[in-house]
Amino acid sequence: MKKHLLLYFFLLGLPYVYAQILVKDCKTQQPIFNAIIYNAVNNQVIGTTDSDGKIDLPPSIQDIVLAHPAYGIIPTINQAVICIDELLNPIIIEVKKDAKEELIAILKNSYQQYSIDPFKEQYYYYKGTIYENDTLGNRLSQEEGYVKNFTFYNTSFILSSQLMKYTKIADPIATSPVTNERLHYFFFSNKKQFYSLLKILKKLKVKKINQDYYVYNDTWDNYWLFEIDTTKNRIRKFVSTAIEAKFFDFGDALLFQPKRKLTHRLIEVNYDIEGKKVKQQLQLFDLYTLTQGETKLAKLLRINTVKQQDIVIERTYSLEQYIYYLVTKKIEMEDLVEKLEKQKTLN
């Protein structure tokens, strides 16, 4: 369960001190699975409850908010047992065609507002890391740098020799710190991706609880959550725990034969506007189980917009140069591992 929280605390640099809480419906004694837990102070996602309704939270966080499509948004405090049914306020739940139409209208309005700052003009900072088992495990690889459109700046790429043992049993999606997440989830800066989102949404179900919209499919155990800025009538946050939703991974499936199974996902994307510039931030935690079963790889990724004047550019790579740089680094590591293995054999 701790791994579900490590995205949040790793990024904040807080120590890993936890107390376990249980979220359940005390009337039926049923645990509440996959409730999203927020820090009420800063509205950041902390994690999700597991299949037993449990999650580990640090005692330092007192005020929390629970979000779940069956119960809505519920503010409460950090305590050992949370009876979600006893905290319910009057809520309005809409499961009908109008809820989907309302959400689509808000998404279109969001696109009109956020598209003042086109994708090709935005600078992003990114840092992605692959860990063995979870984020308390060994760091296997890490990539960090800046990117604008398809030009990369100051890219650094660290590979551990330990990663090499996974290259034959895991495809590049599970072992690459960064793939196409900024194209996938910054919906409103990319026209193609935005219309892909609308097309996908028309096939799914939408439930409105108060001012927020939950998107789901009857075959999913998880869901998408769109939070609305009601004063601007636009999306301010997107949260996904839906491991079954592989719409944005379609191209990956065409390029690579999957050798991994996504077993946990927590994605939080925040959107805002300052002046005429869009502020976007993505935080992602994925946990993969590899094909042989027990071995796991964890991916932790952060991407956020930055101002051009805040970047001191030391190195610049075109897309072709960037790909060549990464491939060269991997080949160098493969050669080193092969050399070390030969030395062991001779000894």
Side-chain angles (χ1 to χ4, degrees), residues 33 35 47 57 122 178 183 185 196 210 224 228 264 269 275 335 345:
F33 167 59
L57 298 181
Q122 295 177 20
V178 182
L183 301 178
Y185 297 106
S196 294
N210 291 336
W224 292 345
I228 311 302
H264 179 79
V269 189
D335 291 343
T345 303

Side-chain angles (χ1 to χ4, degrees), residues 162-176:
Q162 292 174 292
L163 182 66
M164 296 301 102
K165 69 181 182 181
Y166 293 105
T167 55
K168 293 182 180 179
I169 60 174
D171 60 74
I173 301 304
T175 57
S176 299

